[in-house]
């Protein structure tokens, strides 16, 4: 992907007839024009929104989905130089990133569940303690009155 005059790696997540969802460490600001290359396919578009490293692209022409899917990925480097910067296979590296993201999501769900369970447990103990205090005072008075009556 080229933003302004700088090349950066990007990952296309979703594609429609005139748009894409893309991620990149060098995500463009809304309004920036970008060029995305995959094999011999060149897609020119404009970033319309951005959230962290995710951004949406509106393309100037219709995207040929078939050509985009069958084109070989040009791994790393700029299309102009063709220099490979990665030592690992691109698909293996993408799979590692995807597994890491899923593991992090699972851990965050587990942390959220644990925190919620702990909060509910603390609230239950506090309610039980309050109810015990409220009910034990009259019960103690009744017990003292019965003991003194005997």
């Amino acid at each position: 992907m080229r933003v302004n005059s700088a090349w950066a790696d990007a990952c296309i997540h979703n594609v429609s007839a005139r748009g894409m969802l893309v991620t990149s460490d060098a995500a463009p600001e809304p309004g920036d024009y970008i060029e995305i290359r995959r094999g011999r396919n060149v897609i020119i578009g404009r970033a319309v929104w951005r959230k962290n490293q995710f951004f949406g692209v509106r393309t100037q022409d219709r995207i040929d989905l078939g050509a985009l899917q069958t084109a070989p990925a040009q791994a790393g480097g700029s299309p102009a130089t063709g220099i490979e910067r990665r030592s690992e296979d691109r698909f293996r590296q993408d799979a590692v990133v995807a597994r890491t993201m899923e593991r992090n999501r699972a851990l965050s769900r587990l942390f959220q569940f644990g925190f919620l369970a702990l909060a509910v447990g603390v609230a239950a103990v506090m309610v039980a303690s309050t109810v015990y205090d409220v009910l034990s005072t009259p019960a103690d008075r009744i017990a003292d009155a019965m003991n003194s009556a005997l």
Side-chain angles (χ1 to χ4, degrees), residues 52-107:
N52 300 327
Q53 76 270 21
F54 291 88
F55 60 97
V57 176
R58 170 97 172 131
T59 61
Q60 70 180 21
D61 299 318
R62 292 184 66 82
I63 299 171
D64 184 0
L65 299 175
L68 191 63
Q69 289 176 333
T70 59
Q74 186 167 0
S78 73
T81 62
I83 297 171
E84 175 62 48
R85 296 180 299 154
R86 290 181 266 227
S87 60
E88 291 187 31
D89 180 29
R90 178 181 192 137
F91 296 112
R92 189 175 322 142
Q93 185 179 6
D94 288 347
V96 168
V97 169
R99 280 192 298 272
T100 302
M101 286 176 59
E102 284 303 314
R103 187 181 69 236
N104 290 343
R105 282 187 189 134
L107 287 173

Side-chain angles (χ1 to χ4, degrees), residues 135-150:
L135 294 178
S136 67
T137 302
D140 289 341
R141 287 185 187 163
I142 292 170
D144 289 341
M146 289 177 65
N147 286 338
S148 64
L150 292 175

Side-chain angles (χ1 to χ4, degrees), residues 17-32:
R18 288 196 179 263
M20 295 186 219
L21 170 64
V22 184
T23 58
S24 176
D25 289 336
E29 294 297 322
D32 287 350

